[in-house]
Amino acid sequence: MKVIPGQACLRLLSEWEAKSGIGPRRHPPVVHLNGEILRPLSPPFLQATGTDQVVGLGLVVVSLIIFTYYTAWVILLPFIDSQHVIHKYFLPRAYAVTIPLALGLLLLLFVGMFITYVMLKNQKMTKKAQ
């Protein structure tokens, strides 16, 4: 398999699109040309760097820990005797609803603030353009 770099690949893809009559971005990712299979490289801005991969792995690990803790807290803990030592590692069950509810409301608040900010910013830019 022959891999070709960005600009040449884009040129070949646009030529192939023009010949085949298929619109842009509707062709398969593998292009056959002169019997060889050419696979375009993804643009550099789409490639994850090492730091991106480490941050992504960290987020996945933290999410799995939180999911496991919450699942044990909400689903398994009610079936364990209340005098068992494992109960000291968990908050009271009332917080199992309160904490996610508060975090969800905070998330909605920040999303709403972001949307409001973007809309006001676009409105100011529109007024300047006129």
Side-chain angles (χ1 to χ4, degrees):
M1 182 179 298
K2 182 179 177 184
V3 178
I4 57 175
Q7 290 297 332
C9 180
L10 292 175
R11 182 180 48 79
L12 289 172
L13 284 174
S14 61
E15 288 174 7
W16 182 79
E17 289 168 350
K19 288 178 187 174
S20 65
I22 297 176
R25 308 266 188 251
R26 295 183 186 211
H27 54 77
V30 178
V31 180
H32 299 276
L33 186 65
N34 297 331
E36 294 182 21
I37 299 176
L38 305 174
R39 186 176 299 268
L41 296 174
S42 60
F45 61 88
L46 293 179
Q47 296 175 355
T49 63
T51 306
D52 293 337
Q53 292 176 349
V54 169
V55 169
L57 179 63
L59 289 172
V60 168
V61 167
V62 167
S63 297
L64 285 174
I65 290 171
I66 291 172
F67 175 76
T68 304
Y69 180 86
Y70 189 78
T71 301
W73 184 22
V74 172
I75 296 176
L76 299 178
L77 214 57
F79 296 106
I80 299 175
D81 185 32
S82 62
Q83 302 303 321
H84 196 276
V85 71
I86 198 167
H87 280 274
K88 72 178 184 179
Y89 297 108
F90 295 91
L91 293 171
R93 224 172 294 141
Y95 290 112
V97 174
T98 308
I99 292 173
L101 181 67
L103 291 176
L105 289 174
L106 279 173
L107 177 68
L108 285 174
L109 173 71
F110 286 122
V111 167
M113 287 173 48
F114 175 75
I115 290 172
T116 304
Y117 170 75
V118 170
M119 289 177 67
L120 290 175
K121 186 177 176 182
N122 285 342
Q123 189 178 24
K124 287 179 185 177
M125 293 178 86
T126 306
K127 285 182 180 179
K128 283 184 182 179
Q130 292 174 356

